[in-house]
């Protein structure tokens, strides 16, 4: 558990990026959740600003696929003209 706390800020940053790219795609949390077949509450927990929800690599791949972006977008600074956003 102690190790998990070490990465809380990194998980929050991932959540902010999920929300950013979801909004960029014009999707609601419900639409993304339906698209990747997870609960809306799970997406909400991931995106919550004060959340400490960890994400599996599988979940990150699912979200990236649902948002039609390269998974690398979650690990690099946000750019509107990002090469990670699939057209």
């Amino acid at each position: 558990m102690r190790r998990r706390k070490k990465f809380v800020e990194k998980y929050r940053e991932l959540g902010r990026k999920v929300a950013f790219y979801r909004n960029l795609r014009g999707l609601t949390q419900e639409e993304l959740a339906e698209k990747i077949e997870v609960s809306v509450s799970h997406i909400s927990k991931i995106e919550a600003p004060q959340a400490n929800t960890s994400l599996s690599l599988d979940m990150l791949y699912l979200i990236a696929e649902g948002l039609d972006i390269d998974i690398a977008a979650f690990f690099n600074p946000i750019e509107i003209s990002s090469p990670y956003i699939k057209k």
Side-chain angles (χ1 to χ4, degrees):
M1 186 66 149
R2 191 172 131 184
R3 206 177 258 172
R4 184 174 176 206
K5 288 182 181 181
K6 179 179 177 180
F7 300 112
V8 166
E9 190 50 43
K10 293 190 184 291
Y11 293 135
R12 288 179 181 160
E13 180 63 22
L14 284 171
R16 285 190 288 270
K17 288 179 179 178
V18 168
F20 172 81
Y21 288 112
R22 179 182 56 74
N23 285 313
L24 191 66
R25 291 294 193 212
L27 295 173
T28 64
Q29 287 182 343
E30 287 112 3
E31 290 167 331
L32 177 58
E34 185 177 309
K35 204 171 183 183
I36 63 172
E37 299 178 347
V38 299
S39 70
V40 176
S41 66
H42 192 65
I43 296 296
S44 179
K45 286 177 187 175
I46 290 170
E47 291 185 5
Q50 297 304 314
N52 60 356
T53 303
S54 62
L55 293 119
S56 69
L57 191 54
D58 287 349
M59 179 56 64
L60 219 46
Y61 272 113
L62 273 174
I63 292 169
E65 186 177 277
L67 295 173
D68 199 26
I69 61 171
D70 191 294
I71 194 168
F74 295 123
F75 300 102
N76 291 290
I78 291 175
E79 299 175 32
I80 298 299
S81 60
S82 174
Y84 307 110
I85 300 174
K86 299 173 185 174
K87 309 258 175 189

